[in-house]
Structure formats: C-alpha cells, structure tokens
C-alpha cells in the first residue's frame, strides 16, 4: 500500500526553521531516519519515498508556498495514483500548544491557508491531517510574523522529541489506519 505524506511549508532559506515549516522538518526527519533517497525537485514539490513495514510513503514538500498547497496535493495524488484516503497532510497549528499533535480525518481548515487551498482544490475536507501545535504566543495582529519566525530557544530543546512523535504518528497512520492511529496520537 502507498501513502502520500504532504508536508506543508515554504521553500527558501528565510523560511527554513520557522514554525510554519514544521511539515518540512518532519519530512526531513523521516527521510533521514529511513535513509530515503535525496529529495528530488519535481512538479510542484520536492519528493522522495521510503518503505516501512511493507508500505511505501511518498514524502512531498510543496514548492508552491503554503497558500497554494492544493496544487501539489492534487498533482501528486494523481501522478502517484494514491486515493485521497491515503493522503496525510502535516501542518502547523496555532490553536494547539507547542508540540501537541492532533490527527483528524476531516474538518475545517481552521483558518490555515494551506489547508484552505487543499480543500478548495480537492473539493473536500475529508482527508487526514496531522496538526503540530506551535502555540499562539503573539500579540493581536502579529500571527504572520509569529509563524514565519523560528522556534524559541526553549521550544528548540523539545523540538527533536516532538518531531519524532509526529513521525511516529505518520507511521501509525500507514500501519494501523486512521481511526486506530487517532486513538493513539490524540491521547498524548
């Protein structure tokens, strides 16, 4: 079985270690852990894949910037012939405390522009998403500055452990299915 793991972020060195790029960080961690081939630039994304417990995971980091993530989702679902129920989107979430994970099978975009574009492009809100909490520690009206800035020194201490937990959640999605993975991921 094959899974599309669409890890959201923005390309370019100025965005590399920002909260908005947690999806890219999780993708890089998984690629390194499973010694995946180097990410190759392709249509709308950097792409690689790895195998784990008989499943193939296509890691996709869109090059479309966050607000046009739907282009990459639609293209790679079609190109790899993966049904939308086998797609997991990994993204940041301001509504969750730092490092808290929330796995869901459908729902609103919650104000997230990347998710809004995916839903508009695919015409559905029924797809799995793994939300990685980045907290909402910013003054009113400064949301964009906050998500486009690096993690705090305190957060950086915990970040590797939190990224590893996100990677485990992705593997659970593939190996035990969405419903059972939600029961594991969402209780922590």
């Amino acid at each position: 079985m094959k899974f599309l793991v669409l890890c959201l972020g923005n390309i370019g060195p100025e965005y590399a270690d920002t909260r908005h790029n947690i999806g890219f960080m999780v993708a890089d961690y998984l690629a390194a852990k499973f010694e995946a081939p180097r990410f190759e630039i392709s249509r709308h994304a950097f792409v690689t894949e790895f195998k784990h417990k008989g499943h193939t995971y296509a890691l996709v980091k869109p090059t479309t910037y966050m607000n046009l993530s739907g282009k990459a989702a639609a293209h790679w679902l079609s190109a790899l012939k993966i049904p939308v129920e086998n797609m997991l989107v990994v993204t940041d979430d301001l509504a969750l405390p730092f490092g808290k994970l929330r796995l869901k099978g459908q729902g609103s975009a919650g104000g997230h522009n990347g998710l809004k574009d995916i839903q508009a492009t695919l015409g559905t809100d029924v797809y799995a998403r793994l939300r990685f909490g980045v907290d909402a520690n910013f003054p009113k009206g400064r949301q964009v500055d906050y998500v486009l800035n690096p993690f705090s020194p305190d957060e950086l201490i915990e970040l590797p452990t939190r990224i590893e937990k996100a990677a485990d959640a992705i593997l659970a999605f593939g190996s035990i299915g969405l419903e059972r993975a939600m029961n594991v991921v969402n209780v922590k």
Side-chain angles (χ1 to χ4, degrees):
M1 191 172 296
K2 195 166 196 170
F3 297 93
L4 174 65
V5 184
L6 189 74
C7 299
L8 302 188
N10 289 315
I11 58 169
E14 67 272 30
Y15 301 112
D17 296 318
T18 65
R19 291 176 178 88
H20 223 23
N21 269 33
I22 193 63
F24 281 16
M25 293 178 208
V26 172
D28 291 341
Y29 172 84
L30 276 168
K33 178 177 179 157
F34 290 98
E35 299 177 354
R38 200 171 140 213
F39 279 95
E40 295 288 330
I41 183 72
S42 195
R43 188 156 179 209
H44 304 307
F46 292 101
V47 182
T48 191
E49 63 181 42
F50 68 90
K51 292 188 185 310
H52 177 67
K53 294 189 176 180
H55 301 299
T56 300
Y57 295 81
L59 294 174
V60 175
K61 300 191 304 186
T63 57
T64 55
Y65 292 97
M66 188 68 74
N67 295 353
L68 297 175
S69 298
K71 271 181 154 179
H75 172 75
W76 288 100
L77 284 169
S78 174
L80 298 174
K81 297 178 177 46
I82 296 175
V84 73
E85 57 268 16
N86 283 8
M87 177 178 76
L88 176 60
V89 177
V90 182
T91 189
D92 61 303
D93 192 320
L94 289 166
L96 294 172
F98 169 75
K100 177 91 172 161
L101 299 175
R102 181 69 62 224
L103 181 62
K104 293 177 67 177
Q106 65 181 44
S108 78
H112 193 285
N113 290 333
L115 295 179
K116 282 182 193 175
D117 191 62
I118 291 168
Q119 290 176 195
T121 304
L122 299 182
T124 184
D125 69 351
V126 181
Y127 61 89
R129 71 283 314 262
L130 178 64
R131 294 175 182 253
F132 187 111
V134 296
D135 216 341
N137 190 15
F138 57 88
K140 186 175 177 151
R142 303 302 302 234
Q143 175 177 334
V144 172
D145 293 336
Y146 180 76
V147 297
L148 294 180
N149 272 301
F151 289 96
S152 73
D154 287 343
E155 291 169 335
L156 286 173
I157 293 167
E158 290 292 318
L159 193 59
T161 302
R162 306 299 180 153
I163 288 173
E164 184 178 6
K165 288 185 184 309
D168 290 345
I170 292 165
L171 298 175
F173 169 76
S175 62
I176 62 175
L178 176 63
E179 295 302 320
R180 287 177 61 202
M182 285 170 54
N183 290 333
V184 173
V185 174
N186 294 343
V187 296
K188 293 181 180 177

